[in-house]
Amino acid sequence: QRSVHPPSVSAKAFCIWDANTNKVVYGKFDQQSKQVASLTKIMTCYVVCKLLRKFNLSPRKVFVKVSKQASEVTGTTANLESSDTISTWDLLHGLMLPSGNDAAWCLAESFGVLLWYEKQNKMHEFNFELIDVEIEEVNQPEKFFIQEMNAVAKILGLSGTAFDNPHGLMNQKNRSSAKDMCKLSIEALEDEYIKKIVKTKDYTSYFLTKELQLTQICWENTNKLLWKNFCGLKTGVTKAAGPCLASYYEEEGKKFVIVTLQSDSMDIRSVSYTHLTLPTIYSVQISVVAASLKKK
């Protein structure tokens, strides 16, 4: 009988979470708080979807006008331009597939306006059909959204997590742990909107430009593990955080979320997932895997 020797992985921290038992299988520095780059967008997506459901809104019927500030956010982009009018459903794809920082900011400030209206007990005045941040008299609406991100983190018991922006660009105050990201991922995957979006390989968005011309853009998912039978979830990389990845695997009743933080490279980031997951896929007792990893 072959002995199982799971390969070492380059990630400075990782966590394997069994979604069936809702427990950590094994972790390496999994409770250590680190910058998590665009894994932050899992919470951004989760909060938006929670608000949609709270107010009984369809993501396909709530439209958002892109602000100048959102269009100018640096880093990975969904290629949004100022005054584009786009549905929330499409924006969520622009957030999670190409990892658009512009989409993250647009969602945060738009739904931050909604949260402000709720706080002021003025929901009866809110325009649910088209959110245009630039005509609203709300100062820095994204702050209300970030407050909600942190409130949700507290409710979920993410003790090593704090958010200071909706996209994960380098910020010492924007941190989480591999274990917290696993817990968040499990919660997020309970939402059918999110579960569908994160396993989408490519998506074509149709929207109106400033000139009211209908145009389209196609986004491809940055998570290449989707082509290797994984079902999501989110990639991330910044200089400070290094390559990060939260992924979900489901096969024959086995369900695992794996989060790796600070891998040595983007290629190794993906290889690490195969190394961590294969022993559990092919009927290897998970206790053997954990024991073997623990000896390292």
Side-chain angles (χ1 to χ4, degrees):
Q1 183 178 356
R2 294 184 182 182
S3 59
V4 179
H5 299 286
S8 298
V9 296
S10 71
K12 302 299 185 294
F14 69 83
C15 184
I16 307 172
W17 188 284
D18 187 332
N20 288 322
T21 63
N22 217 25
K23 292 181 179 179
V24 174
V25 173
Y26 190 77
K28 171 185 173 184
F29 301 122
D30 59 314
Q31 298 186 61
Q32 192 173 91
S33 186
K34 298 177 176 292
Q35 291 190 51
V36 292
S38 285
L39 300 197
T40 299
K41 296 183 176 99
I42 299 173
M43 180 61 91
T44 301
C45 189
Y46 183 60
V47 170
V48 170
C49 290
K50 277 180 68 69
L51 290 171
L52 288 168
R53 296 192 185 281
K54 178 179 180 179
F55 294 105
N56 196 28
L57 303 172
S58 167
R60 293 178 175 85
K61 293 182 179 179
V62 178
F63 287 82
V64 168
K65 182 167 282 190
V66 179
S67 71
K68 185 175 185 294
Q69 186 174 5
S71 70
E72 292 176 348
V73 177
T74 59
T76 51
T77 180
N79 293 308
L80 304 176
E81 294 186 5
S82 179
S83 295
D84 284 346
T85 300
I86 184 170
S87 73
T88 300
W89 182 246
D90 284 13
L91 263 183
L92 288 170
H93 284 80
L95 172 78
M96 299 301 281
L97 272 65
S99 197
N101 294 332
D102 47 358
W105 195 267
C106 187
L107 286 164
E109 60 182 5
S110 297
F111 281 83
V113 169
L114 183 153
L115 288 164
W116 181 87
Y117 270 86
E118 181 186 33
K119 188 175 182 180
Q120 300 298 318
N121 294 315
K122 294 183 176 181
M123 291 302 292
H124 61 283
E125 298 179 12
F126 186 73
N127 183 356
F128 287 99
E129 294 181 356
L130 177 62
I131 307 175
D132 186 349
V133 173
E134 293 183 340
I135 66 171
E136 297 287 351
E137 296 180 359
V138 182
N139 186 38
Q140 295 181 304
E142 70 281 355
K143 288 190 174 182
F144 296 100
F145 188 86
I146 294 166
Q147 287 173 8
E148 185 70 9
M149 292 171 71
N150 285 307
V152 171
K154 187 174 181 180
I155 291 170
L156 295 179
L158 310 184
S159 57
T161 298
F163 296 107
D164 200 51
N165 64 49
H167 41 55
L169 284 175
M170 287 188 288
N171 185 329
Q172 285 289 342
K173 296 180 181 179
N174 204 83
R175 307 177 70 83
S176 189
S177 67
K179 183 178 180 180
D180 279 3
M181 280 289 119
C182 275
K183 291 171 72 175
L184 172 59
S185 297
I186 289 293
E187 289 293 329
L189 287 165
E190 289 295 315
D191 189 290
E192 289 301 317
Y193 291 155
I194 298 175
K195 194 169 184 178
K196 182 174 183 178
I197 290 168
V198 298
K199 68 181 180 182
T200 300
K201 294 179 180 179
D202 55 70
Y203 182 84
T204 300
S205 169
Y206 295 88
F207 57 93
L208 288 177
T209 65
K210 182 179 180 179
E211 294 76 23
L212 300 182
Q213 292 190 348
L214 184 65
T215 190
Q216 68 182 63
I217 187 169
C218 186
W219 297 309
E220 184 174 293
N221 204 311
T222 58
N223 185 1
K224 301 311 174 189
L225 286 175
L226 295 180
W227 283 262
K228 298 181 181 180
N229 298 320
F230 284 77
C231 307
L233 184 67
K234 189 72 192 74
T235 62
V237 60
T238 64
K239 185 175 181 180
C244 305
L245 188 58
S247 205
Y248 177 64
Y249 194 97
E250 181 176 346
E251 183 179 80
E252 297 180 356
K254 300 182 180 71
K255 301 177 183 179
F256 295 95
V257 170
I258 304 174
V259 172
T260 56
L261 304 178
Q262 287 189 313
S263 294
D264 283 350
S265 73
M266 293 178 71
D267 287 339
I268 292 176
R269 173 183 67 182
S270 295
V271 170
S272 294
Y273 270 71
T274 305
H275 288 177
L276 288 170
T277 309
L278 280 176
T280 65
I281 295 171
Y282 297 110
S283 303
V284 178
Q285 291 294 328
I286 200 65
S287 58
V288 176
V289 179
S292 179
L293 283 168
K294 199 170 184 178
K295 291 177 183 178
K296 290 184 179 292

